[in-house]
Amino acid sequence: MATQPIIHIRGLRNQFGAQVVHDNLDLDVHRGEILGVVGGSGSGKSVLLRSIIGLQTPAAGTVELLGTNVRNIKKSQLEKQTGVLFQSGALYSSMTVAENISVPLIEHAKFSRREAALLARMKIALTGLPAHAADLYPAELSGGMIKRAALARALALDPEVLFLDEPTAGLDPIGAAAFDKLLVTLRDALDLTVFLVTHDLDTLYSSCDRVAVLAEKHVIVAEPLATVSEFDHPWIQDYFHGPRGRAAIQAQTRLHQED
């Protein structure tokens, strides 16, 4: 991995009125890695994501993306450099899947509608959706298909950094495992850097190179999973060594044995 972080955060402070969500938060994300971000309810995982992509203005601190302070990056440029998959998918309900994916291609890359439609179908195939999904509306899609369609739209402009907010939330275990595998495949094939907010332990074990834990208003540790899981902090011990944590470890052990 490159020594220069692709995301560089120092002294970040986010607050809403008197409520301080982050205080003196530091974090680096390295090129080509999948970083999983976890934390308890109210720890500000999604707020941190929004701060990096310019949707939340911090009260203090700096956020650099690709070597430039996010405050100095034009919105149009930021949208070309990053792809975002929000938890709900955030697809336009009145548009087909292909039309949803075409929107950024037409608005930001200035492709014609015909060119955008062809590229949209390529992105659909890239994310493992069947070809006929291009002509379906969001209401006609399963939960797993919605996630893949939203991922295809996030990848429309060939971003360098991909941001995912709880991408496997609401999926059944088989669908979630398939999405995790797809994510690693796309990272390797497209040389992506991935910032992944999740609560899914299976995703952490199967997809992430490192895990950053938010607690006490900052990142208390950001290391490979084996190191993080043994970190001496009550929330980490409960999270990784409780019933769900043990089940995730057992599941990964079985997968490795089958391989």
Side-chain angles (χ1 to χ4, degrees):
M1 293 181 182
T3 55
Q4 179 67 31
I6 201 165
I7 298 171
H8 181 67
I9 302 172
R10 288 295 180 271
L12 186 70
R13 180 180 178 89
N14 278 308
Q15 65 182 96
F16 302 93
Q19 181 188 6
V20 178
V21 179
H22 302 135
D23 189 27
N24 200 31
L25 184 152
D26 296 342
L27 179 65
D28 287 337
V29 182
H30 305 293
R31 185 177 295 276
E33 76 172 338
I34 299 178
L35 177 77
V37 179
V38 300
S41 178
S43 60
K45 301 182 292 296
S46 295
V47 173
L48 176 58
L49 185 155
R50 291 170 63 85
S51 297
I52 301 171
I53 61 175
L55 295 180
Q56 165 69 30
T57 301
T62 60
V63 179
E64 293 183 359
L65 177 67
L66 298 166
T68 303
N69 192 309
V70 171
R71 293 175 183 264
N72 300 327
I73 304 176
K74 292 182 179 179
K75 181 181 178 182
S76 59
Q77 183 62 31
L78 196 60
E79 291 178 348
K80 291 178 183 178
Q81 294 175 325
T82 63
V84 185
L85 191 162
F86 294 104
Q87 185 172 340
S88 64
L91 297 172
Y92 298 114
S93 60
S94 61
M95 294 182 178
T96 65
V97 170
E99 289 169 342
N100 266 279
I101 300 167
S102 294
V103 169
L105 291 166
I106 294 169
E107 289 188 356
H108 298 294
K110 307 304 180 184
F111 285 104
S112 67
R113 290 187 179 277
R114 180 177 178 278
E115 292 169 332
L118 290 172
L119 285 170
R121 291 180 182 272
M122 292 176 58
K123 302 298 180 181
I124 287 168
L126 188 67
T127 54
L129 283 169
H132 76 272
D135 301 316
L136 298 179
Y137 289 89
E140 299 174 299
L141 303 177
S142 67
M145 293 175 74
I146 287 175
K147 298 288 187 180
R148 288 176 184 251
L151 179 60
R153 187 177 65 181
L155 294 172
L157 297 175
D158 298 324
E160 293 186 59
V161 192
L162 185 63
F163 294 89
L164 309 178
D165 192 357
E166 300 284 6
T168 58
L171 299 184
D172 62 80
I174 294 175
F179 191 96
D180 292 340
K181 185 176 181 180
L182 171 66
L183 180 60
V184 174
T185 300
L186 290 174
R187 185 275 304 270
D188 295 342
L190 304 178
D191 192 26
L192 291 167
T193 301
V194 182
F195 183 98
L196 169 65
V197 171
T198 187
H199 69 278
D200 192 330
L201 280 156
D202 289 324
T203 296
L204 297 179
Y205 279 100
S206 63
S207 302
C208 296
D209 300 296
R210 289 192 305 138
V211 177
V213 180
L214 287 178
E216 300 167 13
K217 300 182 174 61
H218 62 279
V219 175
I220 60 172
V221 62
E223 296 289 346
L225 185 56
T227 301
V228 172
S229 65
E230 298 305 319
F231 191 79
D232 186 16
H233 187 277
W235 187 88
I236 290 177
Q237 292 304 308
D238 289 344
Y239 183 69
F240 285 101
H241 298 286
R244 290 187 177 183
R246 291 194 295 270
I249 294 172
Q250 291 169 359
Q252 289 304 309
T253 301
R254 287 196 298 270
L255 284 175
H256 290 312
Q257 290 174 343
E258 292 171 1
D259 292 341

